[in-house]
Amino acid sequence: MQDHPYQSRFVDTWALMAVVLARTERVRVFPDVANLPLRLPSVMAKSAASLDILSGGRFELGLGAGAFWEAMAAMGGPARTPGEAAGALDEAIDVIRLMWSGERSVRYDGEHYPLAGAHPGPRPVHDMGIWLGVMGPRLLNVLGRKADGWCPSVSGQLPSVREPFLPEGTELVVLRRPQPGPPAAESRLR
């Protein structure tokens, strides 16, 4: 589910995901992708873990570096450069994992998201994945180093992401959104 809080015609993504999880028993849900510039990663970690607990482990987390900077700035969010956005996403993954660590208190010396003795928790009920909806060399590097999955926004052909981001022999499997007719097409990159 897309997370665009600056769109007046959309309901809040996190409220919608909670309703979907409450009204279903098997469906797994994740934001595609959560709006990191408008949601602190420490608080997002708590929200994601809470939805995971309340749904019996049916929540995953999708993050992006941000886009539509003018709309986010109009809501009080930062207007970051591409480099700043990449750095903030990199930090956010660390912060989220710290907030799921189960430690009594955590510190993080981040430029964008510092933590100064934050009390983590709750922990998700399963080993929750962090999926990234990113493109470009710097962000694909973050994907390869820190993420559990990739949920790119693509139309048409998938971009070439082979070198230097993926180790030799890595196979990417991307399931495309189902269209009316035959089952979803599967694309494989080698």
Side-chain angles (χ1 to χ4, degrees), residues 36-37 39-41 80 88-89 91-92 95 108 110-115:
L36 181 59
R39 303 181 192 278
L40 287 174
R80 294 185 171 132
L89 177 63
E91 284 184 20
V95 166
Y108 184 78
E111 179 182 339
H112 302 282
Y113 303 115
L115 298 176

Side-chain angles (χ1 to χ4, degrees), residues 1-40:
M1 295 176 196
Q2 294 183 7
D3 186 20
H4 297 285
Y6 40 81
Q7 288 283 356
S8 62
R9 67 184 189 277
F10 293 2
V11 299
D12 179 70
T13 300
W14 290 82
L16 177 59
M17 291 185 297
V19 169
V20 170
L21 288 166
R23 291 187 179 180
T24 61
E25 295 179 6
R26 297 177 331 174
V27 174
R28 299 181 68 79
V29 172
F30 73 99
D32 184 18
V33 289
N35 191 308
L36 181 59
L38 289 177
R39 303 181 192 278
L40 287 174

Side-chain angles (χ1 to χ4, degrees), residues 81-97:
T81 66
E84 290 169 338
L89 177 63
D90 197 328
E91 284 184 20
I93 296 167
D94 294 340
V95 166
I96 290 166
R97 293 201 194 281

Side-chain angles (χ1 to χ4, degrees), residues 164-183:
F165 313 108
L166 302 173
E168 188 61 39
T170 299
E171 180 179 44
L172 292 177
V173 178
V174 178
L175 293 175
R176 296 189 181 189
R177 197 167 284 137
Q179 302 294 323

Side-chain angles (χ1 to χ4, degrees), residues 45-60:
K46 186 175 193 82
S47 297
S50 297
L51 287 177
D52 194 55
I53 291 165
L54 296 170
S55 69
R58 295 185 292 124
F59 189 81
E60 303 293 335

Side-chain angles (χ1 to χ4, degrees), residues 121-170:
R123 292 183 66 157
V125 297
H126 81 290
D127 187 16
M128 188 184 303
I130 296 178
W131 291 61
L132 299 184
V134 297
M135 301 297 281
R138 183 168 178 184
L139 290 171
L140 288 172
N141 185 280
V142 173
L143 171 80
R145 287 185 295 109
K146 294 189 174 180
D148 301 300
W150 188 35
C151 51
S153 296
V154 295
S155 59
Q157 292 297 103
L158 291 171
S160 173
V161 295
R162 168 62 45 224
E163 295 177 10
F165 313 108
L166 302 173
E168 188 61 39
T170 299

